[in-house]
Amino acid sequence: MNNMHIDTIDRRLLDQLQRDASLTNQALADAIGLSPSACLKRVKRLKQVGIIERQVALLNPEALGPCLHMVVEVIMERDHKVLYQRFEKRALAAAEVKQCYKVTGEIDFVLIVTVPDMAAYDRFCDAVLYADDNLKKFRTLISRKRSKFDTAEQLITDSV
Amino acid sequence: MNNMHIDTIDRRLLDQLQRDASLTNQALADAIGLSPSACLKRVKRLKQVGIIERQVALLNPEALGPCLHMVVEVIMERDHKVLYQRFEKRALAAAEVKQCYKVTGEIDFVLIVTVPDMAAYDRFCDAVLYADDNLKKFRTLISRKRSKFDTAEQLITDSV
DNA sequence: CGTGAAATATGTATCGT
DNA sequence: ACGATACATATTTCACG
């Protein structure tokens, strides 16, 4: 599913699509300077090989009601793989957890958690954090403002 | 740009679109149980009022080459608004910074940074972090694995 | 909100480079 | 191997009920 050529045209397509995927195939072809059929073939290929994972609508969180972002740092008690996996599984299953990073150093996991209010965060802590008896400590950094949220990956400008 | 009615049908549309925006309007209308024209009208309205911010393709970072995620915690020296803004501006302008949270407590900013390798991270530190003379300290948590990355917002199941 | 018809877009086959 | 053209199918979009 890997090992495929991505040329400059592919890069330009990907760059466009990860910024704005609402373009029609024709408009995209036009922007890149390709015929619609060639453009479509490339986009389909990029989807098929998994370089384009999916296409989503990004919503304005604040337009949907109150919304708090938390950065949660988690330290586990014992470094046992099974216990890590147990925690990770629970975290991943929680709808409030938007992102989960397994990190090196003193901290073991960093979670990005979204809740409507503090009461909901409290319930989340009970259900996910306090529920794990191998969790030693956690620290919550409350976001006053999420000033950047960019889903676009960096596309290397060119390669030989 | 706010203050509009979002009914159950809108919620179902949003829920669908933030999971998969590759559906045609017809397929979406079908899934929700609406006529294509009514469906299109709603989606257009949701875009216009800014609830749907944009539509993007999510790429598989690893299919595009090496990719490291870092969680960077930043502590500022002095709590001056102008100095905060100066740092924030530089951070937001950096392509490596994918997310920026201004948080409460000991830490002032949390950044989610993406780079292809350690050398690139080093350059990023020079260009953004060490470049700010009001930055007191920063700590880098290196992600061994990003095990969740979900862009979908929680849609309250129902409201009166 | 639904229907139906005109305007657009997509997807495939085929040819040319 | 890749892109262009053309044509058949499917979708979007709008006026109207």
Side-chain angles (χ1 to χ4, degrees):
Chain A
M1 126 157 179
N2 217 326
N3 261 17
M4 66 168 309
H5 284 287
I6 306 179
D7 60 18
T8 309
I9 298 179
D10 285 326
R11 268 182 231 289
R12 284 166 64 199
L13 288 171
L14 290 170
D15 205 40
Q16 186 63 242
L17 287 174
Q18 72 174 341
R19 281 173 170 64
D20 181 4
S22 72
L23 292 174
T24 64
N25 181 57
Q26 280 200 358
L28 179 63
D30 235 42
I32 302 296
L34 219 57
S35 74
S37 72
C39 183
L40 189 68
K41 249 185 276 183
R42 280 174 179 266
V43 173
K44 280 184 114 170
R45 184 165 122 277
L46 291 167
K47 279 181 185 163
Q48 186 143 28
V49 299
I51 290 180
I52 297 177
E53 277 193 334
R54 57 213 188 96
Q55 203 175 120
V56 300
L58 298 182
L59 309 186
N60 181 349
E62 284 153 26
L64 295 166
C67 170
L68 287 173
H69 296 286
M70 312 290 198
V71 180
V72 184
E73 301 170 346
V74 174
I75 301 177
M76 303 304 275
E77 189 72 61
R78 307 177 60 203
D79 282 348
H80 276 205
K81 184 159 188 173
V82 173
L83 299 175
Y84 268 56
Q85 287 175 334
R86 196 187 58 184
F87 171 76
E88 205 174 6
K89 192 177 163 189
R90 208 196 301 262
L92 266 49
E96 296 92 340
V97 176
K98 298 304 178 191
Q99 298 168 54
C100 175
Y101 300 87
K102 197 190 314 185
V103 299
T104 62
E106 197 198 347
I107 308 291
D108 295 311
F109 291 97
V110 174
L111 310 177
I112 306 292
V113 174
T114 304
V115 287
D117 53 41
M118 275 297 169
Y121 185 63
D122 199 53
R123 287 194 296 277
F124 164 75
C125 292
D126 283 346
V128 176
L129 305 178
Y130 293 122
D132 194 305
D133 57 17
N134 191 48
L135 187 150
K136 183 176 172 189
K137 233 172 160 16
F138 71 92
R139 178 166 79 152
T140 304
L141 313 179
I142 305 175
S143 173
R144 293 194 285 135
K145 190 186 177 195
R146 181 175 82 175
S147 51
K148 187 169 188 177
F149 186 79
D150 183 4
T151 59
E153 306 292 337
Q154 261 148 289
L155 296 177
I156 316 300
T157 35
D158 229 341
S159 58
V160 182
Chain B
M1 125 163 177
N2 216 325
N3 261 17
M4 65 169 309
H5 284 287
I6 306 179
D7 60 20
T8 310
I9 297 178
D10 285 326
R11 267 183 231 290
R12 285 167 64 200
L13 287 171
L14 291 170
D15 205 38
Q16 186 65 240
L17 288 174
Q18 71 174 342
R19 280 172 172 64
D20 181 4
S22 72
L23 292 173
T24 64
N25 182 58
Q26 279 197 2
L28 179 64
D30 236 43
I32 303 296
L34 219 58
S35 74
S37 71
C39 182
L40 187 69
K41 250 184 276 184
R42 279 174 181 267
V43 173
K44 280 183 116 167
R45 184 167 122 276
L46 290 167
K47 278 182 188 162
Q48 184 143 28
V49 299
I51 290 181
I52 296 177
E53 277 192 335
R54 57 214 187 94
Q55 204 174 118
V56 300
L58 298 182
L59 309 186
N60 180 348
E62 285 153 26
L64 295 166
C67 171
L68 287 173
H69 296 286
M70 311 291 198
V71 180
V72 184
E73 302 170 346
V74 174
I75 301 177
M76 302 305 274
E77 189 72 63
R78 307 178 58 203
D79 283 348
H80 277 204
K81 183 160 190 175
V82 172
L83 298 176
Y84 267 57
Q85 287 174 335
R86 196 187 56 182
F87 171 76
E88 206 174 8
K89 192 178 165 189
R90 208 196 301 262
L92 265 50
E96 296 93 341
V97 176
K98 299 304 178 192
Q99 299 168 52
C100 176
Y101 300 88
K102 197 188 316 183
V103 299
T104 62
E106 197 199 346
I107 308 291
D108 295 311
F109 290 97
V110 174
L111 310 177
I112 306 291
V113 174
T114 304
V115 287
D117 51 41
M118 275 297 170
Y121 184 63
D122 199 53
R123 288 195 295 277
F124 164 76
C125 291
D126 284 346
V128 176
L129 305 178
Y130 293 122
D132 193 305
D133 57 17
N134 192 48
L135 187 150
K136 184 176 174 187
K137 236 173 158 15
F138 70 92
R139 178 166 77 152
T140 302
L141 314 180
I142 305 175
S143 172
R144 292 194 286 134
K145 189 186 178 195
R146 181 175 83 174
S147 51
K148 188 171 188 177
F149 186 79
D150 182 5
T151 59
E153 306 292 337
Q154 263 149 287
L155 296 177
I156 316 299
T157 35
D158 229 338
S159 60
V160 183

